Amino acid sequence: MLLSHCLTMLNPIAFFNALPSNIAQGLIWGVMALGLYITYRLLDFADLTVDGSIATGGAVTVMLTTSGCNIWVALLAATLAGMLAGLCTGILHTRLGIPPILAGILTQIALFSVNLHILGGSNKALSVDKYDLILSSRNMTAAIVAALLFCGVLIAVMYWYFGTEQGSAIRATGCNPAMSKAQGINNDNMKLIGLCLANGLVAMSGGLLSQFQGFADVNMGRGAIVIGLAAIIIGEVFCDAIFGKKANFAMRLSFVVIGAIIYYVVMGIVIWLRMDPNDLKLFTAIIVAVFLAVPYLRGQQKNSFRMAGKKSAVALKAEAAQNTAAADKKKEV
Amino acid sequence: MLQLKNIHKTFNLGTINEKTALSGVDLLLNEGDFVTVIGGNGAGKSTMLNAIAGVWPVDEGSVLIDGIDVTGLPEYKRAQYLGRVFQDPMTGTTATMQIDENLALAARRGRRRGLGWGITGEEKKHYKELLKMLDLGLEDRMTSKVGLLSGGQRQALTLLMATLQRPKLLLLDEHTAALDPKTAAKVLELTDKIVSENNLTTLMITHNMKDAIAHGNRLIMMNEGKIILDIGEQEKKKLTVEDLLLKFEDVSGQEFVSDKALLG
């Protein structure tokens, strides 16, 4: 009775109406996730700067555009501002010896004040009617095409860059710092470059997001790292499931963006199911925790003390049964 | 080729864990010297190698490589002169990168890394030839991730990487200690081959006295942060493990305490 009541309340048309918006948001956050991939996966550096630098990107884009700047110039400036934020985190870590997570948190909290100054308040509107924007939620098809182009070009550029001498050196630094040092690589500089590039992309994503939603808000980056991680991890799970070990770097990057899209489509479903919007962050955290835990638990399943104990108990029992059977036979004889 | 002058290093100075690891090490290596280094645990063998490689700055003294004072250079800058193989087979290679990518990283040691391709087609052909020489079948697995290789294969690859660009000095820090005896023998054989073919100046630490005697043209023994014995080519040819133990007791006034060294 209750179920049928619920089902009548759920209108599939509403879900499909929201789908293009979810896909567009997924693509825009895909740009952010590509940036996070550089630090989280390639450099093995959990960079919490991104919660701040995505809002910096949005703030710079909105303020420059509303003061008459060309939107592309504004987006470029936003990217550079993000790179500067990444440089701050990098300097805190490599030159001042602050651990990665703490260095990121410090920059992030500092950026909150910086972003308030840039915006001159907690938020600022950017109307698509007044300014010539790259994309907007007003024209969803064009927004999806534009965001898709951004992701495509960025994946191509990243594929090229991380195949160069410098890109390879960054990868080596992230994977085995002792080895890279012995091969003459300056690990600190590689981390600085990686953090700059990553936060540049994150800020670019913030710039696109502010255009899409028509405003920048000082809180627009809250929890961004979790969304980015969700995209990376969901993408990896699907990539491994479909292509396994055959996936090359470009495919892995593509799946980071696909992961972001999947995340926003799932969020669309959750909203469609009329979950309280206040619970969305909780839901996000649970999704990420589940996707992080699944590979671990799978490993545990194959390789755990409990399994070993069970097998041992079965084997011992069988042995005991055999012994008693043998003893019985002897008696009979 | 290498000159160490009065090297001192104390760890955790002024704390309860204070440990003097090197106390006045002097050493002169000529071009083409292949020197084996032995000594008990904590004698300062690895510390001496790390001082040369620049893992940390020394407290006192000078490190000269080919006449260049490198004492003030950090590890990544000294790397241009040095080839290194570590005790842990995991340390010398990058597990998530392919075999050919690892070699390409090593080929660019000491060079500026710009936006040129990380690896070229020509290099790949060259690496294939070099890998054939190892005789481990790695030439057919060039695009495999190094993480899939065994410890012995990784050590052989690290050795190749260390010598891909001829180093002024090759540092081997017990590079066979983590391998099974058969693999260790193979890697040592390979070491001899590469060192003699390229006439490399080499410092090799080993726990195994037999190996120390069988390889190289010179043997030094360390104890309590000092070089206490330096045996040249002629004398080394006649040397036995028993001789070495007696000499150690003679010079240090202690008994040699390392089961590994005796049993090996």
Side-chain angles (χ1 to χ4, degrees):
Chain A
M1 197 46 209
L2 190 70
L3 186 72
S4 66
H5 177 69
C6 277
L7 283 176
T8 51
M9 272 174 67
L10 297 176
N11 180 358
I13 295 167
F15 171 68
F16 284 109
N17 280 343
L19 197 58
S21 170
N22 294 329
I23 291 172
Q25 282 190 74
L27 285 165
I28 293 169
W29 280 87
V31 172
M32 184 270 177
L34 286 174
L36 197 66
Y37 189 86
I38 298 175
T39 42
Y40 182 68
R41 271 289 175 250
L42 299 182
L43 269 182
D44 196 20
F45 188 114
D47 178 28
L48 297 182
T49 317
V50 296
D51 280 26
S53 55
I54 194 166
T56 306
V60 170
T61 306
V62 169
M63 294 317 286
L64 283 181
T65 311
T66 52
S67 60
C69 209
N70 176 286
I71 185 68
W72 289 96
V73 176
L75 194 63
L76 181 69
T79 307
L80 292 175
M83 292 175 86
L84 208 60
L87 188 67
C88 284
T89 303
I91 287 172
L92 287 174
H93 172 59
T94 61
R95 302 292 189 263
L96 303 175
I98 298 169
I101 288 184
L102 209 49
I105 291 176
L106 288 175
T107 311
Q108 180 204 116
I109 208 79
L111 282 176
F112 192 82
S113 296
V114 172
N115 293 340
L116 279 172
H117 278 296
I118 296 173
L119 282 169
S122 62
N123 55 57
K124 174 113 180 163
L126 178 67
S127 169
V128 68
D129 299 326
K130 282 195 224 158
Y131 306 100
D132 203 7
L133 303 184
I134 298 167
L135 46 70
S136 162
S137 57
R138 196 75 65 77
N139 185 346
M140 206 56 85
T141 318
I144 290 177
V145 171
L148 201 58
L149 282 174
F150 263 87
C151 288
V153 170
L154 287 173
I155 288 170
V157 171
M158 281 172 75
Y159 182 72
W160 162 75
Y161 178 73
F162 287 103
T164 65
E165 295 177 336
Q166 198 175 76
S168 301
I170 291 178
R171 280 155 62 208
T173 297
C175 176
N176 188 347
M179 176 270 191
S180 62
K181 241 193 232 176
Q183 299 303 343
I185 293 168
N186 184 340
N187 288 347
D188 285 351
N189 283 357
M190 292 306 130
K191 283 183 192 167
L192 284 179
I193 295 172
L195 280 164
C196 279
L197 294 177
N199 281 287
L201 289 184
V202 171
M204 185 191 284
S205 154
L208 293 173
L209 189 63
S210 65
Q211 294 174 53
F212 181 77
Q213 62 191 16
F215 65 91
D217 186 296
V218 73
N219 285 317
M220 69 192 272
R222 181 159 288 173
I225 180 137
V226 185
I227 297 174
L229 285 182
I232 291 172
I233 293 155
I234 293 171
E236 276 175 351
V237 168
F238 277 88
C239 187
D240 281 342
I242 297 170
F243 294 105
K245 293 230 160 29
K246 274 181 282 178
N248 67 15
F249 189 59
M251 281 151 95
R252 292 189 179 280
L253 291 177
S254 305
F255 267 92
V256 170
V257 176
I258 291 169
I261 297 171
I262 292 172
Y263 171 82
Y264 269 96
V265 170
V266 170
M267 280 297 149
I269 293 171
V270 170
I271 292 169
W272 178 65
L273 291 172
R274 311 207 170 191
M275 188 190 252
D276 185 347
N278 289 339
D279 291 339
L280 282 184
K281 298 267 193 228
L282 176 68
F283 187 74
T284 306
I286 291 171
I287 286 189
V288 174
V290 167
F291 272 91
L292 279 173
V294 164
Y296 173 78
L297 291 177
R298 264 204 202 145
Q300 287 281 297
Q301 212 175 21
K302 287 185 204 140
N303 189 18
S304 76
F305 283 109
R306 230 177 94 198
M307 277 301 287
K310 264 188 199 166
K311 273 190 206 159
S312 159
V314 170
L316 289 177
K317 215 172 170 185
E319 199 183 294
Q322 224 168 24
N323 285 346
T324 44
D328 285 351
K329 231 179 194 176
K330 247 186 193 171
K331 260 185 216 164
E332 274 172 33
V333 174
Chain B
M1 188 50 74
L2 169 78
Q3 193 172 9
L4 299 181
K5 283 185 178 175
N6 192 32
I7 301 285
H8 285 264
K9 181 72 188 179
T10 302
F11 291 108
N12 306 313
L13 192 70
T15 71
I16 194 160
N17 293 320
E18 184 171 313
K19 162 114 181 75
T20 303
L22 296 176
S23 53
V25 172
D26 287 290
L27 182 66
L28 182 68
L29 256 60
N30 297 315
E31 170 105 48
D33 264 356
F34 182 174
V35 181
T36 54
V37 187
I38 54 169
N41 292 323
K45 309 180 300 288
S46 287
T47 315
M48 180 174 76
L49 243 60
N50 287 340
I52 298 166
V55 176
W56 23 252
V58 295
D59 296 338
E60 220 181 292
S62 311
V63 182
L64 283 85
I65 298 174
D66 200 13
I68 306 159
D69 181 8
V70 298
T71 319
L73 296 184
E75 191 174 355
Y76 76 90
K77 280 192 181 158
R78 286 188 209 186
Q80 59 184 305
Y81 307 117
L82 303 171
R84 288 164 74 192
V85 184
F86 308 88
Q87 180 171 359
D88 181 355
M90 306 299 140
T91 311
T93 45
T94 297
T96 57
M97 292 171 83
Q98 302 170 4
I99 293 177
D100 53 1
E101 287 178 319
N102 270 275
L103 285 162
L105 278 171
R108 285 159 180 76
R109 180 158 46 77
R111 283 196 235 153
R112 214 183 76 82
R113 288 168 209 258
L115 296 179
W117 289 115
I119 182 166
T120 62
E122 220 167 279
E123 276 179 87
K124 283 183 192 169
K125 274 185 218 148
H126 177 53
Y127 298 156
K128 200 168 182 131
E129 293 304 310
L130 289 172
L131 286 168
K132 254 184 210 159
M133 193 196 79
L134 295 185
D135 197 21
L136 293 169
L138 295 182
E139 65 272 15
D140 302 321
R141 300 172 62 189
M142 298 244 300
T143 55
S144 294
K145 297 270 191 302
V146 168
L148 299 170
L149 305 185
S150 70
Q153 288 172 327
R154 281 182 81 158
Q155 260 344 37
L157 181 63
T158 311
L159 197 60
L160 189 61
M161 285 165 62
T163 52
L164 197 53
Q165 252 214 74
R166 192 175 185 276
K168 288 188 188 294
L169 181 65
L170 179 62
L171 300 176
L172 309 171
D173 188 355
E174 288 191 53
H175 67 306
T176 58
L179 308 175
D180 64 79
K182 208 175 144 198
T183 315
K186 177 134 205 222
V187 170
L188 264 180
E189 188 190 318
L190 191 68
T191 308
D192 268 343
K193 190 176 163 203
I194 289 179
V195 168
S196 65
E197 271 175 12
N198 299 293
N199 190 31
L200 296 172
T201 314
T202 306
L203 258 181
M204 178 173 95
I205 297 180
T206 173
H207 254 304
N208 187 316
M209 289 204 177
K210 265 192 215 150
D211 287 342
I213 293 168
H215 299 269
N217 66 344
R218 195 173 148 193
L219 183 152
I220 61 176
M221 185 185 259
M222 294 189 73
N223 191 43
E224 293 177 351
K226 276 187 182 133
I227 295 173
I228 56 167
L229 257 182
D230 193 336
I231 298 167
E233 195 162 8
Q234 293 310 315
E235 195 183 345
K236 187 168 172 290
K237 278 182 185 156
K238 292 172 278 177
L239 206 63
T240 64
V241 172
E242 287 73 28
D243 289 343
L244 216 48
L245 287 171
L246 283 174
K247 272 186 192 286
F248 177 82
E249 282 168 30
D250 200 31
V251 178
S252 68
Q254 303 167 350
E255 229 172 295
F256 196 95
V257 273
S258 173
D259 293 343
K260 228 170 142 190
L262 290 174
L263 296 171

